[in-house]
Amino acid sequence: MKQQTGEQLLQQIHEYIGNLSYMREPMGLYDPIEYVLGLGGKRLRPVLMLLAYNLYKEDVTRIFSQAAGIETYHNFTLLHDDLMDKADMRRNKPTVHKKWDENTAILSGDAMLILAYQFMMKKCPLECVERVMEVFGRTALEVCEGQQWDMEFEHRLDVTVDEYIEMIRLKTSVLLAAALKIGAILGGAPEKDAQLLYDFGIKMGLAFQLQDDYLDVYGDPAVFGKKIGGDILCNKKTFMLITALSLAEGEDKETLLNWLRATDYVAEEKIQSVTALYNKVGVPELCQARIDAYYKEGLELLDKVNVESSLKEELKKFVCHLMDRKL
Amino acid sequence: MKQQTGEQLLQQIHEYIGNLSYMREPMGLYDPIEYVLGLGGKRLRPVLMLLAYNLYKEDVTRIFSQAAGIETYHNFTLLHDDLMDKADMRRNKPTVHKKWDENTAILSGDAMLILAYQFMMKKCPLECVERVMEVFGRTALEVCEGQQWDMEFEHRLDVTVDEYIEMIRLKTSVLLAAALKIGAILGGAPEKDAQLLYDFGIKMGLAFQLQDDYLDVYGDPAVFGKKIGGDILCNKKTFMLITALSLAEGEDKETLLNWLRATDYVAEEKIQSVTALYNKVGVPELCQARIDAYYKEGLELLDKVNVESSLKEELKKFVCHLMDRKL
């Protein structure tokens, strides 16, 4: 079977998304959608969908609309999340509520969610439509649940690691997993394989998000793309902070809590001090161990998928590259 | 064929909506949805869907989920519109962004839109699913377009009557029309009938909205439910104001424009003065003539639907009652 690399699939789906025809009046509604979809990004979810499909079928162009649907959904969540988080920038460009206004961000986001459903339905084979829409709908709802937990965690100091993992499972993993599962369903995979690919996506999503948390503190600023220490500055309840809060004792704990309460400080000092505390109580090692475990569990699940080993290489390569690891 | 009255259908669908099981954690996400769906309202759209279905098939319980879907969608639009319009109250209760906060209104609204799609898909017969979802998706997008035009009109003084009619067609009529069409499709109606019912819904929606505009100025406060003159006070570009702006001349036009620019005034004075101007240039008669025309055109379309006349009586009665008219 002719397979394509992640890079080839990315190029094609990126072009397809760039040529989607949804533009019409009122431009005030559709311009922001074009803007958001045009910001780019890694197109991770559509590529995963196409890679999963490509395990079973060749002609990936048949599901470009569904691939665009999941990317449109993902970009819709970024649009509304940025509004809720009052984020000014996304991919080095002003966010929609900054470039336009809040009402535009709300309404264009709503239209984008509806468009995502339309792309997902378009030319979806009748024998798949119920399962595809079931996975997509359930996942879409779970992503909202993840965002709700994330916002609720902001006001809490007693978030457990388990609660945090469940939050990132909902906010990040399930959509990656759903992309893989929908690709498999559309490719005609047996239910068991589709579920294994879903579970593989869950583990990889957790590994991926924890790696993001880790790199926010320990990443190379030249490579990471965002400023180092951003999560520390805004007291984000990441795996790092939650673990430190549960492990630090006595004076260390007091120092950490003081930094969380502090309102007037030099950014660099807070980042340095909190990072030193993370190091002292062993947070980076614990984080890396978790990442390794999820990554390994994920690959084991992929191994169980009942297709010839060589066919799984592209998907494996793509995920390894994403996690910046060797195969 | 056993048909049910609008009243009977209302009771059943109201109970069904009250018993929908979507509640789960996080409650912060789902509580506001339950609150909005529990505010009640006339359940117009689901009842229209059931009445249209009942022209062709008896067992309306089969499409309760789709009926709940369209009501959930409608309530989602109220939730987000109230947020965008900064409305404090809806059906005599505080709106979601007032009772909770803006982020809750955004995210719970998003989840509600996703739930609407899930209800619409649930047990939707496979032979209908593409057409039902096509109508629903297109309509959902059009409603957003209507809201966008409505917001853009706020900043304009040159809105034409045609533009206004197109705006209310999108914001109000298409969802009523879609409810009827989806009911007809699910009932197995021929495409031509389904389209006639859609077109009937469009006309009735226009008549209904213009009547609402009219009653906002000339209604009986004891019956209307909202305060009289609300549209006048907020300079809402209704049929009344747009017509007055295009017909008023010289001093009258100046007076009207002055009221639109005024920031410091006694509410009652503005309402009385603008109403007097409407009367002077003949706005109420023009509005009534439009309502009559749409109403008549609508009933003519319904007459063309190819089912026995007696079967259409319930739908006719329901719409007449809604418009407060005799059959």
PDB file of all heavy atoms in Angstrom, chain B residues 206-217:
ATOM      1  N   LEU B 206     -41.032  36.101   9.382  1.00  0.00           N
ATOM      2  CA  LEU B 206     -40.969  37.540   9.097  1.00  0.00           C
ATOM      3  C   LEU B 206     -42.182  38.248   9.705  1.00  0.00           C
ATOM      4  O   LEU B 206     -42.049  39.299  10.348  1.00  0.00           O
ATOM      5  CB  LEU B 206     -40.918  37.780   7.578  1.00  0.00           C
ATOM      6  CG  LEU B 206     -39.676  37.239   6.843  1.00  0.00           C
ATOM      7  CD1 LEU B 206     -39.809  37.480   5.337  1.00  0.00           C
ATOM      8  CD2 LEU B 206     -38.394  37.880   7.372  1.00  0.00           C
ATOM      9  N   ALA B 207     -43.366  37.662   9.494  1.00  0.00           N
ATOM     10  CA  ALA B 207     -44.593  38.249  10.056  1.00  0.00           C
ATOM     11  C   ALA B 207     -44.479  38.334  11.575  1.00  0.00           C
ATOM     12  O   ALA B 207     -44.815  39.359  12.186  1.00  0.00           O
ATOM     13  CB  ALA B 207     -45.806  37.406   9.656  1.00  0.00           C
ATOM     14  N   PHE B 208     -43.973  37.268  12.163  1.00  0.00           N
ATOM     15  CA  PHE B 208     -43.857  37.167  13.616  1.00  0.00           C
ATOM     16  C   PHE B 208     -42.898  38.228  14.164  1.00  0.00           C
ATOM     17  O   PHE B 208     -43.202  38.914  15.152  1.00  0.00           O
ATOM     18  CB  PHE B 208     -43.362  35.762  13.955  1.00  0.00           C
ATOM     19  CG  PHE B 208     -43.417  35.440  15.411  1.00  0.00           C
ATOM     20  CD1 PHE B 208     -44.624  35.409  16.089  1.00  0.00           C
ATOM     21  CD2 PHE B 208     -42.252  35.129  16.115  1.00  0.00           C
ATOM     22  CE1 PHE B 208     -44.674  35.106  17.445  1.00  0.00           C
ATOM     23  CE2 PHE B 208     -42.294  34.825  17.463  1.00  0.00           C
ATOM     24  CZ  PHE B 208     -43.513  34.814  18.130  1.00  0.00           C
ATOM     25  N   GLN B 209     -41.752  38.401  13.509  1.00  0.00           N
ATOM     26  CA  GLN B 209     -40.768  39.369  13.987  1.00  0.00           C
ATOM     27  C   GLN B 209     -41.275  40.803  13.816  1.00  0.00           C
ATOM     28  O   GLN B 209     -41.083  41.655  14.688  1.00  0.00           O
ATOM     29  CB  GLN B 209     -39.432  39.183  13.262  1.00  0.00           C
ATOM     30  CG  GLN B 209     -38.324  40.102  13.773  1.00  0.00           C
ATOM     31  CD  GLN B 209     -38.049  39.909  15.258  1.00  0.00           C
ATOM     32  OE1 GLN B 209     -37.834  38.790  15.705  1.00  0.00           O
ATOM     33  NE2 GLN B 209     -38.085  40.985  16.035  1.00  0.00           N
ATOM     34  N   LEU B 210     -41.921  41.071  12.672  1.00  0.00           N
ATOM     35  CA  LEU B 210     -42.459  42.422  12.462  1.00  0.00           C
ATOM     36  C   LEU B 210     -43.555  42.713  13.481  1.00  0.00           C
ATOM     37  O   LEU B 210     -43.685  43.833  13.968  1.00  0.00           O
ATOM     38  CB  LEU B 210     -43.008  42.567  11.035  1.00  0.00           C
ATOM     39  CG  LEU B 210     -41.950  42.645   9.929  1.00  0.00           C
ATOM     40  CD1 LEU B 210     -42.611  42.895   8.578  1.00  0.00           C
ATOM     41  CD2 LEU B 210     -40.928  43.756  10.203  1.00  0.00           C
ATOM     42  N   GLN B 211     -44.348  41.693  13.792  1.00  0.00           N
ATOM     43  CA  GLN B 211     -45.379  41.875  14.819  1.00  0.00           C
ATOM     44  C   GLN B 211     -44.735  42.211  16.157  1.00  0.00           C
ATOM     45  O   GLN B 211     -45.238  43.041  16.918  1.00  0.00           O
ATOM     46  CB  GLN B 211     -46.211  40.601  14.928  1.00  0.00           C
ATOM     47  CG  GLN B 211     -47.218  40.641  16.053  1.00  0.00           C
ATOM     48  CD  GLN B 211     -48.546  40.039  15.643  1.00  0.00           C
ATOM     49  OE1 GLN B 211     -49.173  40.450  14.666  1.00  0.00           O
ATOM     50  NE2 GLN B 211     -48.963  39.043  16.374  1.00  0.00           N
ATOM     51  N   ASP B 212     -43.614  41.549  16.440  1.00  0.00           N
ATOM     52  CA  ASP B 212     -42.886  41.817  17.676  1.00  0.00           C
ATOM     53  C   ASP B 212     -42.386  43.270  17.693  1.00  0.00           C
ATOM     54  O   ASP B 212     -42.490  43.964  18.714  1.00  0.00           O
ATOM     55  CB  ASP B 212     -41.704  40.847  17.785  1.00  0.00           C
ATOM     56  CG  ASP B 212     -41.263  40.636  19.221  1.00  0.00           C
ATOM     57  OD1 ASP B 212     -42.104  40.237  20.042  1.00  0.00           O
ATOM     58  OD2 ASP B 212     -40.075  40.868  19.517  1.00  0.00           O
ATOM     59  N   ASP B 213     -41.851  43.726  16.566  1.00  0.00           N
ATOM     60  CA  ASP B 213     -41.425  45.124  16.443  1.00  0.00           C
ATOM     61  C   ASP B 213     -42.597  46.069  16.701  1.00  0.00           C
ATOM     62  O   ASP B 213     -42.477  47.078  17.401  1.00  0.00           O
ATOM     63  CB  ASP B 213     -40.906  45.417  15.019  1.00  0.00           C
ATOM     64  CG  ASP B 213     -39.569  44.735  14.719  1.00  0.00           C
ATOM     65  OD1 ASP B 213     -39.051  44.037  15.603  1.00  0.00           O
ATOM     66  OD2 ASP B 213     -39.071  44.911  13.595  1.00  0.00           O
ATOM     67  N   TYR B 214     -43.729  45.719  16.093  1.00  0.00           N
ATOM     68  CA  TYR B 214     -44.932  46.553  16.198  1.00  0.00           C
ATOM     69  C   TYR B 214     -45.408  46.622  17.642  1.00  0.00           C
ATOM     70  O   TYR B 214     -45.688  47.703  18.179  1.00  0.00           O
ATOM     71  CB  TYR B 214     -46.021  45.957  15.297  1.00  0.00           C
ATOM     72  CG  TYR B 214     -47.316  46.720  15.306  1.00  0.00           C
ATOM     73  CD1 TYR B 214     -47.543  47.777  14.432  1.00  0.00           C
ATOM     74  CD2 TYR B 214     -48.344  46.397  16.203  1.00  0.00           C
ATOM     75  CE1 TYR B 214     -48.731  48.488  14.433  1.00  0.00           C
ATOM     76  CE2 TYR B 214     -49.531  47.091  16.223  1.00  0.00           C
ATOM     77  CZ  TYR B 214     -49.721  48.137  15.327  1.00  0.00           C
ATOM     78  OH  TYR B 214     -50.916  48.841  15.351  1.00  0.00           O
ATOM     79  N   LEU B 215     -45.481  45.445  18.268  1.00  0.00           N
ATOM     80  CA  LEU B 215     -46.001  45.389  19.637  1.00  0.00           C
ATOM     81  C   LEU B 215     -45.064  46.072  20.623  1.00  0.00           C
ATOM     82  O   LEU B 215     -45.510  46.539  21.672  1.00  0.00           O
ATOM     83  CB  LEU B 215     -46.233  43.930  20.057  1.00  0.00           C
ATOM     84  CG  LEU B 215     -47.371  43.220  19.314  1.00  0.00           C
ATOM     85  CD1 LEU B 215     -47.437  41.755  19.736  1.00  0.00           C
ATOM     86  CD2 LEU B 215     -48.717  43.914  19.553  1.00  0.00           C
ATOM     87  N   ASP B 216     -43.784  46.140  20.282  1.00  0.00           N
ATOM     88  CA  ASP B 216     -42.844  46.826  21.169  1.00  0.00           C
ATOM     89  C   ASP B 216     -43.204  48.309  21.286  1.00  0.00           C
ATOM     90  O   ASP B 216     -42.873  48.965  22.274  1.00  0.00           O
ATOM     91  CB  ASP B 216     -41.412  46.683  20.649  1.00  0.00           C
ATOM     92  CG  ASP B 216     -40.385  47.075  21.707  1.00  0.00           C
ATOM     93  OD1 ASP B 216     -39.997  46.197  22.487  1.00  0.00           O
ATOM     94  OD2 ASP B 216     -39.995  48.263  21.762  1.00  0.00           O
ATOM     95  N   VAL B 217     -43.907  48.836  20.274  1.00  0.00           N
ATOM     96  CA  VAL B 217     -44.342  50.229  20.312  1.00  0.00           C
ATOM     97  C   VAL B 217     -45.825  50.344  20.675  1.00  0.00           C
ATOM     98  O   VAL B 217     -46.211  51.158  21.510  1.00  0.00           O
ATOM     99  CB  VAL B 217     -44.115  50.918  18.942  1.00  0.00           C
ATOM    100  CG1 VAL B 217     -44.508  52.397  19.012  1.00  0.00           C
ATOM    101  CG2 VAL B 217     -42.653  50.771  18.517  1.00  0.00           C
TER     102      VAL B 217
END
